[in-house]
Amino acid sequence: MTTTTTELTGGGAAPDAAPAAASRRRSGGGLGSYLLIRFLLIFPTVFILVTTVFVLMRLTGDPITAAQGGRLPAEELARRIAEAGYDRPILVQYWEYLTQIVRGDFGTAISDGREVTDMLTTFGAATLELAFYSLIVAFVVGIPLGRLAAYLRDRWPDAVLRVFAILCYATPVFFAGLLLKLVFAVNLGWLPVAGRASTGAEIQLQSLEGRTGIYLIDAIRLGDGEVIQDVLEHAVLPAIALGLLTAGVFLRLVRTNVIGTLGSGYVEAARSRGVSERRLLRKHAYRPALIPIVTVIGLQIALLLGGAVLTETTFEWKGLGFQLVEYLQARDFVAVQGIVVLAAVIVAIVNFVVDVIAALIDPRVRY
Amino acid sequence: MATAASTVETAADVPAAGRRPRGWRGLPVVRQLRQSVGLQRGMLVAGLVLTGIFLLTAIFAPLLAPYEYNQLRDPSGPFGAQQEPSSAHWLGTTVGGYDVFSRVIWGTRTALLVIVAAVLMSIVIGVLLGLVAGYFGGWLDRVLVVVADAIYAFPSLLLAIVVGIVLNGGESSLRGGIMAAAISITVVFVPQYLRVVRAETVRIKAEAYVESARVIGASHWRIMSRHVFRNATRTLPLILTLNASEAILTLAGLGFLGFGIEPTAAAEWGYDLQKSLSDVTSGIWWTSLFPGLAIVLVVLGLTLVGESLNDLADPRLRTRRRGPATPADVAETSVMPGAYAADTLYVDQKGSEL
Amino acid sequence: MTTTPARDVVDIENLSVTFATDAGDVAAVQDVSLAVTAGEVLAIVGESGSGKTVTARSILGLLPETALTRGAIMLTSKDGGSTSDVVTLSRRDLGQVRGRDAAMVFQEPSTALNPVFPVGWQIAEGLRAHGGLSKKEARAKAVDVLRRVGIPDPEVRVDHYPHQFSGGQKQRIVIAQALALDPGVIIADEPTTALDVTVQAEILDLLRRCRDEFGAAIVLITHNMGVVADLADRVAVMYQGRIVEQADVRTLFSAPQDEYTRQLLGSVPRLGEGRARTAERAAARPAGWAAATPVVEARDLRIVYPGRLRQPDFVAVKGVSFSIRPGEVLGLVGESGSGKTTIGRAIAGLTKVTGGSLQVHGVEMNGVKERRFRPVRERIGFVFQDPASSFNPLLTIADAVAEPLVVHGRAKNPHEARGRVDELLEAVQLPKSFGDRFPHELSGGQRQRASLARAIALDPELLIADEPTSALDVSVQKRVLELFDELQRELGFACLFISHDLAVVDLLADRIAVLYKGELVEEGTGEQVLGAPQHPYTQRLLASLPVPDPDAQALRRTEWNRLRS
């Protein structure tokens, strides 16, 4: 393979010249325009998802019939449908729905009469807290172990780590949760079985002025050591169950990408100058591998949200996922739609943030 | 890229690869099995064994299971709920009074049916859309990509639930339930196949052999069917295995949330796990442990196969034999396996859901 | 350089390297013994698979784990203070030797530099691996060495990232990295292969300065005999893992001993070889030929690639005019980005013409519809550059060669076309049985032959050959070029021959056109363009091209230096 490259760049350059020149020019154009374009991309993404969800949900009929059909006399049902405006043309309803969402109004839940926006913020805090804990678990477990596996590639620790990673995502979160509960809560009795806090702590937290809904923060503001401990103890098992799932994906991701960069020309070049293997792994191979890793981690937020629904149900963690299942059972599609749309917005925003981070790491975009 | 492989030069103007083995030795999985070494081989074999057991169990479920999946009593009377494992019920009975062992066995059938249905449907749709989008480009391509990306980034379980709501208007017969689950999963997978096939198509479209066909004046249809299609779908078996495991997890997730298949219609592990949720608190372990283990083992097996195939297809990730012990003659053949498979990596960008 | 005492910095004894592969063990290097004296340039030449790169890499212990190395490689530090055997060194000690006693310059500068770290940091990494320097000192040293390899404004540039440099500058930076620790020997593995010929001249000049100013010995791995003639003091020729000949550079070029060396030197195309042939062909042309309707005629041809996402367009071809008459071979020469490939693609209808006029077989390509152009396609053949990707990996060679016959209705299916396919394979000197093989079962040279067979299948009046031999070894290239010439005489097609290599174009072309940044700067016969170039770019291009003769090359170098100043 010594003679091939002469004109591979040259000959192939003509058709490729435009993008190559373009990226060079982007380096002049700067980060700003890239970020702006990337930011504007959030809107079509959210729009598509909102529309898809709206269309799909309405294929089944109007929400009131779905929730209360059969339980109410026909005239009463018709009256309520007319009251809520579901008898109007679907396009009118769609337009109204869009304008409402833009104003942050997701309507009123049918089953419990709550403002959906209010419900989202209340339970969203709980989900946010769980997601945050699990991400910590995922990062702490997944990334160092992935680097280790790449470094010890094809030796037995690598095999162990890989099987561990596969087990992490081969195990459904709810099953992992059940096992953890069985062992640590029921048999050993070390940790609470379910919930976000014990009843006593819950009452104390509810009494706090200006609650954030994130129990750890509230507990710290309360200043009661026992409450803090109680809140943390409740979080351990759900965080591990959900965190390990994501950790498995991170581990494999880091391993694959670091192995890729470890075999690259620039790592070989650094090795030829006497840079130690340890440093090659920690700096030279890791940093370039980070760019694809960060991008893919963004996609994992979807995995995490899906997993949260199942984890919350398993541990009765009263967040959006838990509520979602409740509303699904009540066939309250107004509330369900609210939760799904919120998920869409979160996903779009997280992916934007992740692209910004990736751009900041990658000098080719930055300059 | 000056990878380790490129340090080895090909002997002056000889083929870059020896003649590919023909016959059964050239079959996809067999070839990779022969190619693999050491740990990689171990993982592949373990995965194949687990997958094989899964398939055999599904096929022979009626012979293996002592009872029907929806059987509540035998001639000696009802089974009783939450019975501990015993000689009559090896793995105990559930809260609903079903035999756990039988339901675990029958569950393989449900899982297999859903995988096959979901994967087949998503491949047909995804490949078709991917080929068209990648080959013709233009506004259709842009629209498809934006939609696929939006769906791809969205939590697939939530999406499956939404689709499930649409389809699941109280349907609970075996076929309806399975089709509903399969369609929900299909909607999740189509964007993935579309992305992969489209990316491959765009790459292959720029290859010299496609350009050469264009210079000759071959029609779009001929180029797509003869040159692009088979080359663009070469990586699919690999994605297919990884997706199959994801399909099982999604199915179990749906079942766990109550969107699965009713116990009278078919045995479904996720549903059984949901029902065992309350058992765990009172220390009843057998109702949750076995269906859960079944899911883990099947997913583990499929993932091991998929990952091993992925590694073997990727020159960077493939393990090669270590330094030889015996000297060899100067070889006429070369050392470099084709580097064409390097871009199969994006397969594991998302990982599996749940 | 004369001040250094004649001491060996590298002493290789009975080196053998074996690789473990799927197909069993393969010996890449066998029983090689070599010595590199301080301050000399030793060139190791050979074609693909000769083991030259493996030999060079083993000096730094940079072989993959699949390799088994035997023999001894004694590496002596520059001051002569320490000597160690690389083969037996521990991983840690190897780290100490690498970069300090011997350093490496890689073929592809764009992959040898880490895209996410500033170049100064990367140079400093090598320095700090060998200890004793603070961050500030390392940076100062990096600035210094960047200045010495000719990077302007090194104080500023030291903080820039690789993508902010041009290809030639990147290779300078790679050389700077190698020089940073002042090693006794620099191993340069095809250091100019990825570069354009004008940039190559600069890098060769820099390497010469590495030896003269830094006193480093250089092991130069190359397949390019011109580069050898330019830089080397001594040459080792490798073939199939063994050294077949070692001699000082003048002896080797004037009186090669080994049969393989002679053959290798004989295969190198030389400037001026084609002149007699061109004259003979011109004389044989019938009267009135010059007035014949051209097969291809371009008038102010402009080709623009639209920019994406608000970015400005890229103009690849800026108003080029030329014509190709029936049976004539036009050579199109230029460096990367000159637009030569774009022109070839436009003629074949692969790239849209955006301005001016391009007539192919009388069809105006500006705004042409595929339906209108399709009948013309069977009168055009195309040979692509990369033999690796020019065949569908899933079709046999016979099926691929039959493709044009089937598409244009000369045969119903590949099976029916087999007779004609066999004829074609015979015409390109491939055994008929090769028709049943798959592309990966053929070598690069064989694939280019098959590619030719496919291109001439419909007996076209025009053939476009886009760098058909640039991926091949010289000896293989020679045979393919000869075949090409034979076919052209026999079938009499007109041809656009695109290449970056002046000598190759000179060999085949009746007329040569030189492209520079999308503009045609000079056109004429080989004698006119290469014998007395008018345009400064052509002059520079010609002077940059190293010729395979040390004495002649020394003269050219002087000329090049004059042009540069």
Side-chain angles (χ1 to χ4, degrees):
Chain A
M1 297 292 284
T2 40
T3 54
T4 44
T5 16
T6 323
E7 269 289 306
L8 280 185
T9 36
D16 280 308
S23 70
R24 217 175 303 129
R25 244 169 276 123
R26 176 191 283 166
S27 44
L31 187 59
S33 62
Y34 167 74
L35 291 186
L36 181 71
I37 290 170
R38 186 57 196 78
F39 176 75
L40 293 175
L41 222 84
I42 292 180
F43 297 99
T45 310
V46 171
F47 174 76
I48 288 168
L49 286 171
V50 168
T51 308
T52 313
V53 170
F54 181 88
V55 171
L56 285 176
M57 296 295 248
R58 284 308 162 80
L59 283 179
T60 47
D62 72 280
I64 294 189
T65 318
Q68 294 161 330
R71 261 178 282 168
L72 290 173
E75 315 84 75
E76 175 67 11
L77 198 65
R79 195 186 60 75
R80 289 204 188 177
I81 289 173
E83 203 172 81
Y86 290 124
D87 55 349
R88 290 172 299 161
I90 192 80
L91 277 177
V92 175
Q93 292 184 45
Y94 173 60
W95 177 247
E96 194 186 73
Y97 183 68
L98 280 185
T99 46
Q100 277 182 353
I101 286 187
V102 171
R103 277 183 277 125
D105 175 9
F106 286 86
T108 311
I110 297 169
S111 54
D112 55 10
R114 263 183 104 155
E115 287 288 318
V116 175
T117 314
D118 176 47
M119 182 270 291
L120 291 178
T121 44
T122 312
F123 294 105
T127 302
L128 184 70
E129 191 173 7
L130 176 62
F132 180 72
Y133 294 144
S134 350
L135 267 183
I136 292 177
V137 173
F139 276 113
V140 168
V141 175
I143 291 185
L145 290 183
R147 266 160 63 164
L148 190 68
Y151 186 60
L152 296 173
R153 162 181 192 200
D154 294 331
R155 293 178 209 165
W156 68 264
D158 176 34
V160 171
L161 285 172
R162 294 191 69 189
V163 172
F164 168 73
I166 295 176
L167 272 177
C168 277
Y169 56 78
T171 313
V173 253
F174 46 91
F175 181 55
L178 285 174
L179 285 181
L180 288 171
K181 259 165 97 164
L182 202 59
V183 175
F184 295 101
V186 178
N187 282 349
L188 297 173
W190 291 352
L191 292 163
V193 176
R196 293 180 67 194
S198 48
T199 325
E202 194 94 39
I203 292 168
Q204 272 185 281
L205 287 167
Q206 295 299 333
S207 67
L208 188 72
E209 281 290 314
R211 304 191 301 274
T212 58
I214 296 170
Y215 278 14
L216 184 61
I217 294 179
D218 288 348
I220 289 169
R221 283 173 56 208
L222 210 61
D224 187 334
E226 275 179 39
V227 176
I228 297 176
Q229 194 192 342
D230 182 71
V231 166
L232 285 175
E233 277 177 358
H234 278 82
V236 172
L237 292 182
I240 290 179
L242 185 52
L244 280 186
L245 161 78
T246 322
V249 182
F250 284 8
L251 199 165
R252 162 163 107 162
L253 191 65
V254 172
R255 176 184 180 275
T256 309
N257 282 291
V258 171
I259 285 178
T261 49
L262 268 178
S264 67
Y266 45 81
V267 169
E268 182 84 342
R271 181 178 290 128
S272 82
R273 275 172 276 128
V275 177
S276 68
E277 291 297 322
R278 211 181 133 82
R279 195 164 171 80
L280 285 179
L281 178 76
R282 277 180 35 207
K283 279 272 182 189
H284 298 250
Y286 184 58
R287 176 72 83 79
L290 214 53
I291 297 164
I293 289 173
V294 166
T295 315
V296 180
I297 281 177
L299 290 173
Q300 297 310 314
I301 199 71
L303 174 74
L304 199 72
L305 286 177
V309 175
L310 298 164
T311 314
E312 289 179 6
T313 311
T314 314
F315 287 99
E316 285 165 55
W317 183 278
K318 300 228 164 81
L320 285 178
F322 185 82
Q323 285 306 116
L324 177 72
V325 178
E326 302 265 288
Y327 285 127
L328 278 171
Q329 267 149 15
R331 300 183 72 76
D332 181 344
F333 294 158
V334 175
V336 169
Q337 199 166 338
I339 293 174
V340 174
V341 167
L342 180 67
V345 174
I346 291 172
V347 163
I349 290 174
V350 167
N351 278 323
F352 165 68
V353 170
V354 158
D355 278 2
V356 172
I357 295 172
L360 290 177
I361 298 175
D362 189 347
R364 285 163 293 188
V365 182
R366 203 167 5 143
Y367 294 101
Chain B
M1 201 185 290
T3 57
S6 72
T7 61
V8 183
E9 299 157 283
T10 43
D13 206 40
V14 294
R19 302 197 69 160
R20 184 177 293 165
R22 303 249 168 102
W24 66 273
R25 289 177 170 181
L27 288 175
V29 174
V30 180
R31 187 154 59 87
Q32 271 100 348
L33 189 62
R34 290 164 52 82
Q35 217 177 46
S36 58
V37 204
L39 287 173
Q40 235 161 37
R41 178 172 237 166
M43 285 173 69
L44 180 56
V45 170
L48 286 173
V49 168
L50 283 173
T51 311
I53 293 175
F54 164 61
L55 290 177
L56 289 176
T57 313
I59 294 166
F60 296 110
L63 302 175
L64 295 170
Y67 307 100
E68 293 293 314
Y69 53 83
N70 56 359
Q71 198 173 342
L72 287 168
R73 50 170 64 238
D74 59 9
S76 58
F79 296 157
Q82 298 179 329
Q83 296 297 308
E84 280 196 43
S86 63
S87 57
H89 301 286
W90 292 355
L91 305 182
T93 60
T94 71
V95 67
Y98 299 109
D99 178 59
V100 174
F101 181 60
S102 303
R103 282 190 64 83
V104 168
I105 298 280
W106 283 105
T108 54
R109 276 210 157 178
T110 316
L112 186 63
L113 280 173
V114 171
I115 291 178
V116 171
V119 167
L120 276 184
M121 285 191 288
S122 34
I123 280 191
V124 171
I125 302 172
V127 167
L128 204 70
L129 291 179
L131 269 178
V132 170
Y135 187 80
F136 290 107
W139 64 267
L140 178 73
D141 177 41
R142 257 170 255 169
V143 169
L144 279 175
V145 166
V146 172
V147 173
D149 279 357
I151 295 179
Y152 183 68
F154 193 69
S156 55
L157 185 67
L158 290 192
L159 188 66
I161 289 173
V162 172
V163 179
I165 292 174
V166 178
L167 298 168
N168 219 0
E171 187 81 66
S172 62
S173 72
L174 172 68
R175 245 183 82 235
I178 283 180
M179 274 318 275
I183 292 173
S184 308
I185 295 166
T186 303
V187 174
V188 176
F189 283 165
V190 165
Q192 292 190 27
Y193 285 101
L194 189 147
R195 284 164 60 111
V196 171
V197 173
R198 180 191 168 273
E200 276 291 281
T201 306
V202 167
R203 185 183 66 79
I204 288 166
K205 209 181 137 191
E207 293 269 321
Y209 61 84
V210 172
E211 301 222 303
S212 145
R214 282 174 62 200
V215 172
I216 288 164
S219 62
H220 291 309
W221 169 247
R222 188 175 175 88
I223 293 177
M224 268 171 84
S225 57
R226 194 165 167 81
H227 298 291
V228 179
F229 173 68
R230 277 179 64 206
N231 283 299
T233 49
R234 284 207 305 192
T235 49
L236 286 190
L238 196 148
I239 310 166
L240 198 143
T241 16
L242 292 176
N243 268 358
S245 57
E246 212 179 315
I248 293 189
L249 290 173
T250 309
L251 174 70
L254 284 174
F256 185 75
L257 295 177
F259 275 86
I261 299 149
E262 289 295 307
T264 46
E268 202 276 306
W269 299 324
Y271 175 89
D272 288 356
L273 277 169
Q274 185 208 16
K275 292 294 160 202
S276 71
L277 202 52
S278 49
D279 298 354
V280 169
T281 328
S282 44
I284 296 170
W285 49 272
W286 58 90
T287 50
S288 53
L289 185 66
F290 299 108
L293 273 183
I295 300 176
V296 173
L297 288 177
V298 173
V299 175
L300 183 68
L302 286 167
T303 314
L304 279 173
V305 174
E307 282 223 0
S308 307
L309 294 185
N310 189 29
D311 285 6
L312 288 170
D314 188 332
R316 295 178 306 170
L317 294 177
R318 218 179 109 198
T319 317
R320 302 225 169 71
R321 292 180 181 84
R322 302 260 161 151
T326 51
D329 295 326
V330 171
E332 294 290 315
T333 51
S334 95
V335 189
M336 263 209 31
Y340 52 79
D343 37 16
T344 49
L345 267 180
Y346 51 78
V347 172
D348 45 310
Q349 290 219 329
K350 199 186 182 191
S352 49
E353 195 85 0
L354 310 179
Chain C
M1 71 159 280
T2 42
T3 55
T4 355
R7 188 183 63 229
D8 288 349
V9 280
V10 182
D11 196 350
I12 300 177
E13 268 170 52
N14 304 101
L15 176 73
S16 293
V17 181
T18 316
F19 287 92
T21 72
D22 292 338
D25 296 348
V26 175
V29 171
Q30 279 202 311
D31 206 20
V32 162
S33 297
L34 264 181
V36 185
T37 313
E40 79 165 342
V41 178
L42 170 74
I44 305 182
V45 297
E47 296 179 290
S48 313
S50 61
K52 56 185 193 302
T53 293
V54 175
T55 308
R57 284 186 165 242
S58 60
I59 298 175
L60 278 170
L62 281 177
L63 295 177
E65 281 182 336
T66 51
L68 177 79
T69 312
R70 266 161 310 169
I73 302 171
M74 307 307 293
L75 196 58
T76 306
S77 62
K78 196 176 190 182
D79 54 18
S82 69
T83 299
S84 41
D85 181 0
V86 177
V87 176
T88 55
L89 277 186
S90 72
R91 216 177 183 186
R92 228 192 116 121
D93 295 338
L94 207 52
Q96 282 306 304
V97 171
R98 285 174 182 162
R100 189 194 66 197
D101 294 350
M104 185 121 184
V105 173
F106 295 85
Q107 171 174 353
E108 191 67 69
S110 48
T111 59
L113 292 171
N114 197 321
V116 301
F117 292 108
V119 294
W121 183 91
Q122 298 186 47
I123 295 173
E125 275 293 286
L127 293 167
R128 296 179 70 199
H130 296 277
L133 280 176
S134 72
K135 250 190 177 145
K136 224 175 137 186
E137 288 166 331
R139 188 188 147 89
K141 198 138 186 227
V143 171
D144 180 54
V145 71
L146 281 176
R147 179 179 298 114
R148 295 180 70 175
V149 298
I151 300 287
D153 300 326
E155 293 84 0
V156 182
R157 301 289 265 170
V158 72
D159 292 323
H160 283 192
Y161 291 88
H163 70 276
Q164 293 166 293
F165 294 88
S166 71
Q169 284 178 322
K170 278 187 210 162
Q171 193 61 305
R172 284 174 190 271
I173 293 164
V174 172
I175 292 172
Q177 291 183 330
L179 285 174
L181 282 157
D182 198 13
V185 57
I186 292 175
I187 295 143
D189 183 6
E190 302 271 7
T192 59
T193 306
L195 306 173
D196 276 325
V197 74
T198 47
V199 182
Q200 164 172 293
E202 307 263 348
I203 296 298
L204 290 176
D205 189 52
L206 175 60
L207 283 171
R208 200 180 346 270
R209 277 177 40 217
C210 288
R211 194 255 317 262
D212 296 346
E213 290 173 22
F214 292 78
I218 295 175
V219 177
L220 176 70
I221 317 297
T222 185
H223 66 283
N224 186 329
M225 297 309 280
V227 168
V228 174
D230 185 63
L231 194 60
D233 298 317
R234 215 152 53 77
V235 187
V237 182
M238 285 191 77
Y239 180 62
Q240 295 207 339
R242 295 176 192 275
I243 292 186
V244 294
E245 184 163 1
Q246 272 193 75
D248 77 84
V249 69
R250 281 196 172 74
T251 318
L252 188 100
F253 277 94
S254 57
Q257 297 300 309
D258 186 81
E259 177 57 38
Y260 174 72
T261 315
R262 278 202 287 272
Q263 185 208 325
L264 187 67
L265 284 171
S267 305
V268 182
R270 284 156 210 263
L271 283 178
E273 274 183 343
R275 274 176 215 172
R277 184 183 157 280
T278 313
E280 176 197 320
R281 280 166 62 96
R285 293 241 151 86
W289 173 80
T293 324
V295 180
V296 177
E297 183 153 34
R299 288 282 160 268
D300 292 322
L301 174 63
R302 252 178 92 80
I303 299 171
V304 178
Y305 291 108
R308 281 182 210 164
L309 283 176
R310 304 188 311 128
Q311 259 136 15
D313 299 341
F314 176 78
V315 186
V317 179
K318 306 170 187 163
V320 166
S321 304
F322 65 91
S323 59
I324 308 173
R325 283 186 214 41
E328 183 188 35
V329 180
L330 175 69
L332 201 54
V333 188
E335 296 181 294
S336 44
S338 63
K340 57 186 189 303
T341 295
T342 305
I343 291 178
R345 293 170 57 87
I347 296 173
L350 288 172
T351 298
K352 253 205 195 131
V353 172
T354 46
S357 152
L358 175 69
Q359 302 250 337
V360 180
H361 289 311
V363 175
E364 175 57 55
M365 298 299 287
N366 193 349
V368 74
K369 289 272 182 302
E370 177 62 29
R371 189 179 311 207
R372 169 89 182 80
F373 190 56
R374 180 157 293 169
V376 178
R377 286 194 181 279
E378 59 184 304
R379 296 160 69 191
I380 302 176
F382 204 116
V383 180
F384 288 86
Q385 167 185 6
D386 182 9
S389 77
S390 54
F391 282 95
N392 184 340
L394 300 173
L395 295 185
T396 62
I397 296 296
D399 285 352
V401 174
E403 192 76 355
L405 299 168
V406 176
V407 165
H408 287 282
R410 309 268 176 98
K412 260 202 224 85
N413 53 45
H415 184 72
E416 201 180 274
R418 190 57 196 259
R420 170 74 177 137
V421 168
D422 286 346
E423 272 174 45
L424 287 165
L425 289 179
E426 216 157 283
V428 297
Q429 297 159 15
L430 282 177
K432 275 190 229 168
S433 63
F434 273 42
D436 297 321
R437 294 203 181 178
F438 284 94
H440 71 273
E441 294 166 349
L442 264 60
S443 69
Q446 290 162 347
R447 259 179 280 181
Q448 282 309 60
R449 282 162 193 274
S451 197
L452 260 174
R454 178 174 57 187
I456 60 169
L458 295 167
D459 207 356
E461 294 145 63
L462 171 67
L463 189 81
I464 300 157
D466 184 6
E467 301 262 14
T469 60
S470 66
L472 306 176
D473 279 317
V474 271
S475 57
V476 183
Q477 162 173 292
K478 187 185 160 105
R479 292 197 293 272
V480 172
L481 290 176
E482 280 167 2
L483 171 70
F484 186 88
D485 187 35
E486 242 166 69
L487 289 172
Q488 202 274 333
R489 278 164 198 269
E490 209 170 293
L491 304 172
F493 48 76
C495 176
L496 179 70
F497 193 97
I498 300 166
S499 180
H500 69 283
D501 191 333
L502 281 170
V504 167
V505 169
D506 180 39
L507 212 57
L508 289 176
D510 297 316
R511 277 184 307 126
I512 296 177
V514 183
L515 276 179
Y516 178 57
K517 294 192 173 160
E519 283 174 71
L520 204 151
V521 295
E522 193 153 357
E523 199 200 323
T525 62
E527 199 166 352
Q528 292 163 342
V529 173
L530 305 180
Q534 299 301 308
H535 194 274
Y537 172 72
T538 320
Q539 291 170 354
R540 195 145 48 87
L541 187 67
L542 201 61
S544 305
L545 181 76
V547 295
D549 177 340
D551 296 314
Q553 179 54 25
L555 289 174
R556 294 178 75 86
R557 199 158 58 227
T558 332
E559 166 69 9
W560 177 73
N561 274 320
R562 190 188 61 78
L563 274 175
R564 205 162 59 128
S565 56

